[in-house]
């Protein structure tokens, strides 16, 4: 019995060695976090969502359980590149980001965050498959009345808190709450990413080319897919139409004091930005290292000769090109940041 007890004690000690060594080693320093907002099925081998090409092509082969998220985390062999799926819409995406930022397994204090997702694009700005680096992320915290009850001279029923009508800057004396609406990103870093990727060849398909040809009167919508700089508007409402696209253009201009220009519509960016802002205040992340890349899977409004409701059944011909181009444009940035880590760890590119 004494021998059996000794063997059990020795076995217990040996089992504890790897855990003790892992704790002594400390958290893994992450260089780049790739942020996707959804995946369709499995992480590999089936119909791709935003995450799959990153997992397959960047060899994010290690799976790590992530109870605070919606899907396992993925890393490369040494843990320097980490991939996550946040979940869609503002609340879930913000919660997932906070869960990762507070995870003791990782040192994220010098990590760069690349949000690479698909979006609806303003046809006044770009075409299907195009990729936009943002300098502003704008939320849609707002007042709203049904447009059927709005004064006849209002273009839509949406207006800023502190304003008295649409397309009007809010009066600080009438505002309530202090939630951020416009998040100013690191413009120098965005410029650096744009310069690095502006000549990347983007995917075009016969289906996208045929759709592009129908957009008479919208020269940017008829262009081949291209890389640009343009800003995002995040909303929990999946909105669509010519009138609401005009609202988005006006809203981004007003909330950024004319510094921002609406290009892409999404459902997560402001939640992710808010989480990173708070993690920065906790010294868990660096908001200056946040990059937002959105690629156009569809237009934000109906095409010439169509009604807004027609988009409900319209096929997403730009879906796969947008998913592909998010990787094509984001990939050179990830590799540059990692390859130059001796410099980029302490010095943010472009600054």
């Amino acid at each position: 019995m004494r021998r059996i007890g000794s063997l059990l004690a020795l076995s217990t000690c040996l089992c504890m060695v790897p855990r003790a060594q892992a704790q002594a080693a400390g958290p893994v320093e992450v260089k780049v976090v790739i942020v996707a907002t959804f995946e369709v099925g499995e992480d590999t081998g089936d119909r791709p969502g935003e995450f799959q090409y990153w997992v397959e092509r960047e060899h994010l082969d290690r799976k790590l359980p992530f109870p605070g998220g919606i899907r396992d985390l993925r890393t490369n062999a040494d843990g320097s590149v980490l991939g996550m799926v946040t979940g869609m819409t503002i609340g879930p995406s913000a919660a997932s980001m906070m869960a990762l930022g507070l995870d003791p397994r990782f040192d994220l204090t010098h990590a760069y965050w690349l949000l690479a997702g698909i979006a609806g694009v303003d046809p006044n700005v770009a075409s299907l498959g195009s990729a936009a680096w943002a300098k502003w992320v704008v939320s849609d915290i707002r007042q709203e009345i049904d447009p059927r009850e709005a004064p006849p001279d209002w273009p839509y029923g949406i207006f800023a808190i502190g304003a008295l009508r649409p397309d009007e800057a809010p009066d600080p004396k009438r505002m309530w709450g202090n939630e951020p609406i416009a998040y100013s990103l690191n413009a120098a870093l965005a410029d650096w990413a744009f310069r690095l990727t502006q000549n990347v060849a983007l995917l075009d398909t016969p289906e996208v080319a045929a759709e592009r040809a129908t957009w008479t009167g919208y020269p940017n919508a008829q262009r081949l897919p291209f890389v640009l700089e343009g800003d995002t508007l995040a909303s929990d409402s999946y909105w669509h139409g010519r009138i609401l696209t005009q609202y988005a253009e006006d809203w981004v201009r007003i909330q950024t004091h004319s510094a921002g220009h609406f290009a892409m519509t999404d459902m997560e960016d402001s939640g992710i930005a808010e989480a990173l802002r708070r993690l920065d205040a906790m010294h868990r992340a660096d908001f200056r290292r946040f990059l937002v890349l959105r690629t156009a899977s569809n237009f934000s409004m109906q095409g010439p000769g169509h009604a807004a409701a027609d988009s409900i059944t319209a096929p997403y011909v730009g879906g796969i090109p947008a998913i592909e181009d998010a990787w094509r444009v984001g990939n050179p940035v990830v590799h540059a940041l990692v390859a130059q880590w001796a410099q980029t760890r302490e010095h943010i590119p472009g600054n």
Side-chain angles (χ1 to χ4, degrees):
M1 291 295 292
R2 183 178 299 172
R3 177 177 294 180
I4 292 174
S6 299
L7 289 173
L8 287 173
L10 176 61
S11 174
T12 301
C13 290
L14 289 174
C15 289
M16 292 177 63
V17 168
R19 181 179 297 178
Q21 289 176 342
Q23 290 173 345
V28 175
E29 182 176 59
V30 178
K31 299 174 182 178
V32 178
V33 181
I34 298 164
V35 181
T37 68
F38 78 95
E39 184 52 55
V40 177
E42 300 299 321
D43 290 349
T44 61
D46 58 4
R47 178 186 172 191
E50 292 177 349
F51 197 43
Q52 186 167 135
Y53 289 161
W54 290 102
V55 173
E56 295 174 343
R57 299 172 184 180
E58 300 304 317
H59 305 290
L60 305 183
D61 300 326
R62 296 176 58 207
K63 294 177 71 172
L64 300 175
F66 186 38
I70 64 164
R71 185 179 288 254
D72 288 342
L73 301 172
R74 289 273 194 163
T75 75
N76 60 355
D78 64 3
S80 61
V81 178
L82 183 152
M84 71 175 301
V85 178
T86 64
M88 298 178 68
T89 69
I90 292 171
S93 62
S96 294
M97 291 296 289
M98 288 299 295
L100 177 60
L102 297 174
D103 195 314
R105 293 174 293 178
F106 309 108
D107 176 0
L108 300 162
T109 53
H110 292 87
Y112 292 84
W113 304 76
L114 173 61
L115 168 54
I118 65 174
V121 66
D122 184 344
N124 293 300
V125 175
S127 54
L128 294 181
S130 294
W133 293 104
K135 295 182 179 179
W136 290 89
V137 165
V138 182
S139 182
D140 72 339
I141 301 172
R142 68 197 196 190
Q143 298 185 94
E144 182 174 3
I145 59 175
D146 191 300
R148 291 168 294 186
E149 297 181 298
D153 63 330
W154 284 23
Y156 38 77
I158 303 167
F159 53 109
I161 296 171
L164 297 178
R165 56 167 293 122
D167 199 15
E168 178 181 274
D171 182 347
K173 297 177 182 178
R174 292 196 298 266
M175 294 180 68
W176 45 266
N178 57 359
E179 295 81 6
I181 296 180
Y183 299 84
S184 178
L185 307 185
N186 186 336
L189 180 62
D191 285 339
W192 170 80
F194 170 70
R195 290 193 301 269
L196 184 66
T197 60
Q198 60 184 319
N199 295 318
V200 168
L202 303 183
L203 178 64
D204 195 21
T205 67
E207 294 79 10
V208 168
E211 172 67 18
R212 188 168 61 236
T214 67
W215 283 80
T216 54
Y218 294 86
N220 283 328
Q222 292 192 305
R223 291 178 60 180
L224 289 169
F226 63 100
V227 182
L228 65 147
E229 290 183 300
D231 303 312
T232 75
L233 173 61
S235 174
D236 275 334
S237 299
Y238 191 101
W239 57 265
H240 190 84
R242 186 174 294 110
I243 293 173
L244 290 178
T245 295
Q246 179 62 58
Y247 143 73
E249 294 172 350
D250 295 341
W251 188 262
V252 171
R253 172 178 49 80
I254 290 170
Q255 298 298 340
T256 64
H257 306 286
S258 298
H261 304 279
F262 171 68
M264 299 281 183
T265 174
D266 67 85
M267 302 180 76
E268 298 85 18
D269 291 5
S270 63
I272 293 170
E274 178 64 17
L276 281 175
R277 187 181 73 91
R278 298 187 185 203
L279 290 167
D280 186 298
M282 300 166 68
H283 307 291
R284 300 284 304 182
D286 186 346
F287 186 80
R288 300 172 302 165
R289 297 172 184 242
F290 180 33
L291 284 158
V292 174
L293 173 67
R294 284 287 180 173
T295 52
S297 60
N298 59 287
F299 289 111
S300 63
M301 57 181 262
Q302 68 272 28
H306 291 273
D310 293 344
S311 65
I312 296 172
T313 57
Y316 271 53
V317 296
I320 293 299
I323 290 170
E324 171 72 30
D325 291 340
W327 176 81
R328 289 192 185 187
V329 178
N331 164 267
V333 170
V334 172
H335 283 247
L337 292 169
V338 172
Q340 301 168 25
W341 189 244
Q343 292 77 40
T344 57
R345 185 183 189 277
E346 301 298 334
H347 304 286
I348 300 174
N351 284 5

